[in-house]
Every structure is written in C-alpha cells, then in structure tokens.
Amino acid sequence: MDWQAAEALTENVCATVFDRTPCTLRPRKSGISPNHKAGSDPDRQPFDFLGTIELEPPSDRLPRHQSVDPGIRNGSVSYDAVLTAHGGAWPYRPKRGDHVVSGADAWEIAADGQDGSVRLVYFLTRARDVVG
C-alpha cells in the first residue's frame, strides 16, 4: 500500500466512524449590493451529506481569522460549531456564507480550515435567515 492509498483508506474509515449527522448544504450568493440580502444560489444545487458537527468548540484551539470589526484587533474569533465531513463525492466545495442545515438547526459557513485532504473542515455560526 502506498501513501495515497493509505490516506484514502484512513479518510474513508474516519467518515464511517464519525460522519453520522445528516446535513444539507444550501448554497447562497451575495445580494446585488451590500444593501441587498443574500439569497439562494441558482447556479449550485443543494445536496445532502453526512458530517460531524461539534458545538461550541474551544476558541483557543482554532486557527485565528481576523474579525471584520475594525475595533477588534487582538481578540480571538469564536464560532458556534465546527463541521467536518468527507467531501470526496461532493459536487462542489461550499463557500463562505453557504448554509448547512441539520434537523432544526441552521448554520452559516464563516470560515474553512482546509488542509488539502478530502476531510473538509468548516467553522460555523448560527444562521440568521434560513433558506428553505
């Protein structure tokens, strides 16, 4: 077995062990101007997948992303949840702002932590407006 085969086997085993939460990705796009709300993205279709959602991850173990608030320079950014999933068969990679729906919970992708593998990581915040 070579390195690539071992990595693929490990990622598949992790997915069968950890990815048990049914989720739906709902793609979003920005409004036509900053004054317009974001809405559904008709160019990308929603899709279902299994993932792992960890609620209230500790902020001291996450990579730091600068806050969009110019008044916060030395503070850390916290997220409501972290989503991990095997994305090898996904039709496309989600973007910042896309929604992840799981049961009655809706999340917005705030950042990603990709490392080049098919095991994808997204940092989530509670979604304010859920697209049905």
Side-chain angles (χ1 to χ4, degrees):
M1 181 177 284
D2 65 6
W3 174 251
Q4 287 180 329
E7 182 180 33
L9 177 64
T10 302
E11 289 171 343
N12 287 330
V13 169
C14 283
T16 61
V17 171
F18 294 106
D19 295 347
R20 305 240 175 204
T21 304
C23 301
T24 301
L25 183 89
R26 300 202 181 276
R28 309 269 291 160
K29 70 175 187 174
S30 300
I32 55 175
S33 80
N35 296 327
H36 291 85
K37 287 186 176 184
S40 296
D41 185 346
D43 296 329
R44 299 181 294 147
Q45 293 299 311
F47 64 88
D48 297 326
F49 65 95
L50 293 175
T52 303
I53 296 178
E54 178 187 349
L55 300 178
E56 299 179 6
S59 61
D60 62 342
R61 294 186 211 152
L62 296 175
R64 297 294 171 251
H65 298 275
Q66 288 294 327
S67 173
V68 294
D69 183 347
I72 299 174
R73 285 293 165 226
N74 295 325
S76 64
V77 176
S78 295
Y79 301 99
D80 296 317
V82 173
L83 165 70
T84 58
H86 188 294
W90 290 6
Y92 56 86
R93 294 284 170 99
K95 298 178 183 178
R96 185 174 180 201
D98 286 349
H99 284 178
V100 175
V101 178
S102 178
D105 294 320
W107 311 94
E108 184 173 324
I109 296 175
D112 66 40
Q114 307 317 327
D115 64 1
S117 73
V118 296
R119 187 100 192 129
L120 306 177
V121 178
Y122 293 97
F123 303 108
L124 309 174
T125 57
R126 291 273 180 195
R128 289 182 225 130
D129 57 337
V130 179
V131 175

